[in-house]
Amino acid sequence: MTEDAGSRWDLGPARVLRVAAALIVVQLLVRTWVAANSDFYWDDLILAGRGGSLPLLSGDLLLYDHDGHLMPGAFVVAGIATRIAPYQWILPMLTMVVLQAVASYAVFRLLRKILGPRPVLLVPLALYLFSPLTVPAFAWWAAALNALPLQIALAWVAGDALELCRTGRRRYAVSGTLVLIVSLLFFEKSVVVPFAAFATVALLAHVGERERPVRSTLRRGAALWIPSAAVLAVWAGFYFSTVASQWEWAGASRALELLHHGTSLGLLPTFVGGPWTWERWIPSPPWASPSTSLEVVGWVVLVAAVVATVRPKRRIGWVWVLTAGYFLLSVTAMVVTRWGADTTYELAQTLRYFTDTAVILAIAVAVIARAPRRRAEPVRLRPLVAAGAVVAFVASSLWSTYTFTRSWEENPTTDYLATARASLADRDDAPILQQPTSIWVLLPVAYPNNLVSRVFAPLRDRPAFSDSTPDLRMIDDAGSVVDAQVTWVRAIEPGTVPDCGHLVDRRSFEPIPLDGPLTGWEWTAQLNYLATADGEIAVAMEDGSPVRVPVHRGPNSVFVRLTGGGQSLRVSTLTPDLSVCIGVGPVGVVVPK
């Protein structure tokens, strides 16, 4: 696309702005539909559980190392939404749509500063607004709280940097710095924002044939670059003192394979509105699954776009190089921070690790459109052909958005949360033994945030969660509270005290043998006891930490969740003058009756 080609379109500035506004409105309507068909998923439960149960301004919440992320802003937003309406989707949905509206406006604002209100502006704007590249990160609340603030900052700070270098007005330096700070509160990848802004201004100076564009950009934008560097330095101190390093090099062959999956199967099909089809293994998110022909088309479109712009345009080589470099940087970050023994290559096809590339691509197209031609003759491009290509891209993208949403809405968490909310409210008479949530909702790798006490902490109408209970119940995979029992993996051996079994009447631990050893794990012991009074005892595995357990006068049973292993239990009294007789009972895992 060229400047002259854009000027040949029969659209005046006012009409261009109206069309741009209409495109944004259509995008927001589509994204509202996507959000309405989404629901809480995986990390959303961690954000809601922690944000809804910890003080909003506590270090435990703000400085929590969330799988390598430092994202206090996201936890505060989740905490506020959860406090107002625990596990009600309407507030997360609204935050996603509002953030998307701000991001779309920020991109439009930047493109207008680069291109002015000309028809060519609609091309990069449509590319950003409708690209399937941004859909997976938008549909997932936790990912949207990372991705959308970054997209906003990439566009807004670049626009402020451009105005600062053009006008010298310091207010753009102030607003650009503030937006950078806010974006860093949501996603550590926002460290790239000042560099992307600098590259945008320098590339525009370069294609505009300004002498020494890098030096000029440094000098003119110093009021923004210097405070941005200070912000990054302070933030880096907090980040590296808070977040444990999880970097792991996958090896050259695996890294190249991930690059292939992220490029041929991920990014490139989105150039034509793909991938059209998605695959999914619940509880994993959907990943792009384009056909081989669409992979080929993606590469052809990329090569054709480079050739079609490099031949008629001058000084745009660096635009393509830096755009490719940004994408490769995103892939590298994914490889070193997300690779592990159980990582699959489909991870790169989920698209969310480089969704911000959509903003960079829009900037690149706009800069190329601004670049001068190599020859004075106008490039003849029929307006209907250009408009048809944009319409075809939007239609293709909308189909990919539709197929993604149909796959994404297959979410077992939705029914699980609804059932659990009602079931917990109906059975709040006794504590529920601590347990993990269903593996279809949160896998054990999320421990301890997958425990029901963490996930359901924000609910107001529910029983307490405890490491011991006199009434054994559990939350099944459907979210229902059901009566439960302990399997006889091991049994407490009969005691030697007549009419008692094992007598526990001392503060020191009394060993109670099992009929066989248990490996280190999470076990539940059913203690059938006779107590002389109400009080407390301490119970532990032979190798494990003790749990405080309330007991009641007379014959009773209590179920205790223990961590550890060994060939015996250890029991002691914590209440003076309390004696407890313990009989035979199972030690195993909890299952529904």
Side-chain angles (χ1 to χ4, degrees):
M1 184 61 62
T2 69
E3 290 189 59
D4 285 353
S7 66
R8 293 169 62 87
W9 292 15
D10 188 20
L11 288 176
R15 185 172 294 180
V16 168
L17 295 180
R18 286 196 294 270
V19 173
L23 289 175
I24 292 174
V25 169
V26 171
Q27 184 228 22
L28 293 178
L29 290 175
V30 171
R31 292 299 172 91
T32 300
W33 174 77
V34 172
N37 284 275
S38 302
D39 210 323
F40 295 98
Y41 169 77
W42 198 274
D43 290 36
D44 298 346
L45 305 183
I46 299 174
L47 266 66
R50 295 186 66 85
S53 60
L54 295 171
L56 282 178
L57 300 181
S58 67
D60 287 341
L61 181 66
L62 299 181
L63 301 180
Y64 177 67
D65 178 358
H66 178 56
D67 199 19
H69 294 303
L70 180 61
M71 42 192 280
F75 277 110
V76 168
V77 171
I80 294 172
T82 305
R83 279 169 167 77
I84 295 173
Y87 288 121
Q88 298 293 332
W89 183 244
I90 183 64
L91 288 182
M93 173 183 163
L94 288 176
T95 61
M96 293 156 61
V97 174
V98 169
L99 285 172
Q100 182 62 75
V102 177
S104 299
Y105 173 74
V107 172
F108 164 74
R109 171 180 179 263
L110 172 61
L111 296 177
R112 187 178 180 185
K113 292 179 184 298
I114 296 174
L115 296 170
R118 295 179 295 164
V120 71
L121 173 148
L122 301 176
V123 176
L125 180 62
L127 173 65
Y128 169 75
L129 293 178
F130 298 101
S131 174
L133 184 60
T134 63
V135 174
F138 168 83
W140 183 356
W141 188 34
L145 290 175
N146 289 156
L148 289 172
L150 172 57
Q151 293 173 35
I152 293 168
L154 283 170
W156 197 276
V157 176
D160 281 351
L162 189 57
E163 288 295 334
L164 174 64
C165 292
R166 284 174 175 173
T167 67
R169 294 175 183 170
R170 296 298 180 94
R171 66 184 180 90
Y172 292 109
V174 174
S175 62
T177 303
L178 291 176
V179 171
L180 170 63
I181 292 172
V182 173
S183 66
L184 285 169
L185 295 177
F186 286 85
F187 195 15
E188 66 277 357
K189 193 179 178 180
S190 295
V191 295
V192 303
V193 166
F195 302 98
F198 180 90
T200 300
V201 178
L203 285 171
L204 283 169
H206 175 67
V207 301
E209 300 181 325
R210 177 176 293 168
E211 291 186 7
R212 297 177 177 176
V214 173
R215 181 177 299 182
S216 171
T217 301
L218 277 172
R219 177 175 54 83
R220 290 172 178 266
L224 176 59
W225 314 135
I226 293 173
S228 294
V231 168
L232 293 183
V234 172
W235 175 88
F238 276 106
Y239 181 83
F240 289 109
S241 64
T242 303
V243 176
S245 174
Q246 300 182 12
W247 294 6
E248 179 180 348
W249 178 241
S253 62
R254 289 176 175 175
L256 288 174
E257 189 66 22
L258 280 170
L259 175 62
H260 163 69
H261 280 255
T263 304
S264 297
L265 303 176
L267 176 68
L268 295 185
T270 67
F271 287 178
V272 292
W276 301 337
T277 57
W278 308 80
E279 297 290 341
R280 189 178 188 189
W281 298 330
I282 292 175
S284 71
W287 63 83
S289 182
S291 63
T292 303
S293 59
L294 190 57
E295 291 181 55
V296 174
V297 170
W299 278 106
V300 170
V301 168
L302 174 62
V303 173
V306 173
V307 172
T309 54
V310 169
R311 290 185 62 186
K313 290 284 191 172
R314 289 189 292 154
R315 308 171 72 87
I316 65 167
W318 277 109
V319 178
W320 286 110
V321 169
L322 293 179
T323 301
Y326 186 93
F327 172 73
L328 291 175
L329 179 65
S330 297
V331 173
T332 301
M334 176 190 67
V335 170
V336 300
T337 61
R338 288 293 176 261
W339 181 261
D342 299 323
T343 303
T344 62
Y345 293 121
E346 286 77 12
L347 177 74
Q349 295 164 236
T350 61
L351 305 184
R352 68 182 185 273
Y353 290 101
F354 36 84
T355 187
D356 42 292
T357 304
V359 178
I360 303 302
L361 287 170
I363 295 173
V365 172
V367 173
I368 290 171
R370 275 287 301 270
R373 298 188 309 274
R374 294 185 182 276
R375 295 184 299 274
E377 297 84 6
V379 177
R380 298 187 180 277
L381 179 63
R382 294 181 182 273
L384 288 179
V385 173
V390 172
V391 170
F393 170 79
V394 171
S396 176
S397 298
L398 290 177
W399 177 250
S400 291
T401 301
Y402 173 80
T403 55
F404 172 86
T405 306
R406 290 279 79 91
S407 176
W408 178 246
E409 68 182 357
E410 296 178 19
N411 183 5
T413 306
T414 301
D415 291 337
Y416 180 84
L417 287 178
T419 303
R421 177 195 293 274
S423 191
L424 289 169
D426 287 341
R427 304 191 66 175
D428 60 354
D429 52 329
I432 290 183
L433 204 63
Q434 182 71 276
Q435 66 173 92
T437 59
S438 167
I439 61 170
W440 303 109
V441 175
L442 277 174
L443 289 174
V445 295
Y447 180 86
N449 291 305
N450 68 323
L451 297 177
V452 291
S453 62
R454 301 285 186 96
V455 172
F456 296 116
L459 295 180
R460 301 183 180 100
D461 298 325
R462 60 169 178 81
F465 296 102
S466 176
D467 284 327
S468 66
T469 181
D471 184 6
L472 186 59
R473 297 170 297 175
M474 66 180 295
I475 305 173
D476 65 14
D477 283 347
S480 298
V481 177
V482 298
D483 294 329
Q485 61 187 357
V486 180
T487 59
W488 290 76
V489 177
R490 291 287 183 262
I492 297 172
E493 294 273 30
T496 58
V497 178
D499 300 322
C500 177
H502 299 279
L503 177 62
V504 181
D505 59 0
R506 296 180 299 175
R507 291 296 186 97
S508 58
F509 279 106
E510 178 78 20
I512 298 180
L514 304 176
D515 63 355
L518 286 171
T519 188
W521 195 247
E522 294 174 356
W523 303 104
T524 297
Q526 178 178 331
L527 301 183
N528 301 312
Y529 69 88
L530 174 66
T532 59
D534 290 350
E536 277 191 324
I537 61 175
V539 184
M541 298 297 297
E542 182 179 1
D543 299 314
S545 300
V547 173
R548 298 177 71 97
V549 180
V551 294
H552 299 283
R553 186 172 183 269
N556 293 286
S557 295
V558 66
F559 304 88
V560 188
R561 181 177 182 269
L562 302 168
T563 302
Q567 199 154 347
S568 65
L569 301 180
R570 295 180 295 137
V571 184
S572 69
T573 59
L574 298 177
T575 302
D577 302 323
L578 172 66
S579 296
V580 179
C581 293
I582 297 178
V584 174
V587 180
V589 296
V590 178
V591 297
K593 272 190 177 179

